Amino acid sequence: MVVFRRRPPLACQQVVELVTEYLENELSARDRRRFEAHLRHCQHCTEYIDQMRTVIRLTGSLTPEDLSPEVEDELLSVFHRWKSGNS
């Protein structure tokens, strides 16, 4: 007899960790269903996804040439601090 194990619902932290894969349609069908099931019941994560979509829409056409040297330096600095764990 084959026993199918139901995976537990996603927690908010897992939604945050999977947002890129979700928005880029890279989740498996099963994980996408779990992700969307969470969104149906979590207003905060739904708002977060909406915010991410807005950011992508608004910044999607930016190129490196669109950034001033100061903004580029600041973004690189923030990234390096994040990467080293020194937020």
Side-chain angles (χ1 to χ4, degrees), residues 17-75:
E17 293 170 359
L18 294 171
V19 69
T20 300
E21 289 88 348
Y22 175 74
L23 293 174
E24 293 179 355
N25 294 317
E26 293 181 1
L27 291 178
S28 67
R30 183 180 190 182
D31 285 340
R32 186 171 193 83
R33 285 191 302 271
R34 290 176 66 217
F35 192 99
E36 291 173 345
H38 179 92
L39 293 180
R40 282 192 294 276
H41 303 289
C42 183
Q43 178 183 352
H44 298 291
C45 286
T46 300
E47 290 172 7
Y48 175 70
I49 297 298
D50 290 342
Q51 290 171 353
M52 292 301 294
R53 285 184 172 129
T54 299
V55 167
I56 291 167
R57 181 176 46 79
L58 294 174
T59 62
S61 62
L62 284 177
T63 65
E65 294 77 28
D66 294 327
L67 300 177
S68 70
E70 296 82 15
V71 170
E72 184 176 359
D73 289 344
E74 179 62 23
L75 288 173

